[in-house]
Amino acid sequence: MPQRDPNSEETFDFVVNKGNGIKGLVDSGIETVPELYTVPIDERLEPNKIITHGSIPVIDVSNWDDPKVKESICEAAAEWGFFQIINHGVPLEVLDAVRESAHRFFGLPNEERSKYWPENSPTDTVVLTTSFAPRAETVFEWKDALTMRFGPHQYRDSVPLWPPVCRDEVLEYGESTKPVVRKLMEILLKGLKVKEIDKAREYALMTASVVTINYYPRCPNPDLAAGIFPHSDASVITVLLQDDNGGLYVRATDGNGWIHVKPIDGAFVVNIGDMLQIMSNDKYKSIEHRVVANGSKNRVSVPVFVTPRMDAVIGPLPEAMGSGEQPFYKKVVCADYFRHHFGKKHDGKKSLEFARI
Ligand code: OGA
Ligand code: NI
């Protein structure tokens, strides 16, 4: 547990122990950013670190089977680790509905939201959290998140226990994104010379997938706070829906500066996670990204984190390795990697070191 000054201890108690989250803190009427959320100057995203030319690739996937589409996806995964897809077939109504339901959930009174904190939740398939790893962080992220687990098998039994204001919308969103996830995985794995995703592989790679609703309440001084610190995702891939507020930035490929991910209505932002970087033996890149706080609006985003079974063993795929190519990673049990990743604050791409040879 990090050392904190008495002010921050008090904020910690209100946000974490009392289960109010950052939403509860904002609702309490704060007009300044508390110390616990004040980011050291050199870690802020100053304007001189933002690159205004260029953007991550935008790929039209109206015809998934077009070889050019497949090529663009694999190239983007290798060069950028991040891209947007448009014309993916998930209706805008489904996307709007899940975003609206996100605002409904976080608009609930605190007593209603707090039913889903880990210690209270009626099922482990739904959980509300705040910041990223509150017990390991000295500076908090300006974010709460509601996560719903999609697999394995019997998750549907617990859906009636999900929050009524968003469960149908999240369920529909999760189901509607499945074919998109499946197509992306097929194409990305084919790009690594994997012939097909058989049932066993699908089960190993995607069973613990979750839908998360990220909520970034309006911040009285967004320059001082961070929505999410620079990090890479531990997932295989992440498919994310954002809203029109913007605020997501991706580390430029040369490592210098940050590029804004321009909101495109109806698009998904797709990024490669650590699991796939490991499986591809660095052919695909899990790129650092971060979110800034917003001074005028409550922002939501709804990522699907495609996640392996916790007992799956992840390592460079034999098919992906050229002859004589050395593996850069050892085999790791997914649960061990996730425990490591979620046990510390967000810290760029440091988690990957856990698996690196
Ligand atoms: C995440 C993330 C980006 C966003 O949840 O891991 O990077 O735009 N979210 O909310
Ligand atoms: Ni992320």
Side-chain angles (χ1 to χ4, degrees), residues 82 143 212 214 216 228 231-233 238 240-242 247-249 271 289-291 299-303 305 346:
F82 251 92
K143 182 198 76 157
T212 293
N214 286 323
Y216 306 87
I228 309 190
H231 69 285
S232 60
D233 293 348
T238 305
L240 175 138
L241 172 70
Q242 58 170 340
L248 169 61
Y249 289 81
N271 64 284
H289 51 288
R290 65 195 299 172
V291 178
R299 174 180 187 262
V300 297
S301 70
V302 196
F305 294 105
H346 272 145

Side-chain angles (χ1 to χ4, degrees), residues 178-236:
K178 270 185 182 165
V180 175
V181 165
R182 169 94 209 176
K183 272 288 174 200
L184 286 165
M185 290 291 291
E186 259 171 36
I187 291 171
L188 288 165
L189 288 183
K190 277 234 170 78
L192 297 174
K193 314 231 163 44
V194 172
K195 288 205 182 62
E196 59 158 353
I197 307 183
D198 55 19
K199 278 277 162 231
R201 213 160 217 170
E202 176 174 334
Y203 191 57
L205 290 183
M206 296 148 83
T207 343
S209 296
V210 298
V211 173
T212 293
I213 293 175
N214 286 323
Y215 189 80
Y216 306 87
R218 194 189 72 77
C219 176
N221 191 340
D223 296 342
L224 300 183
I228 309 190
F229 285 112
H231 69 285
S232 60
D233 293 348
S235 58
V236 180

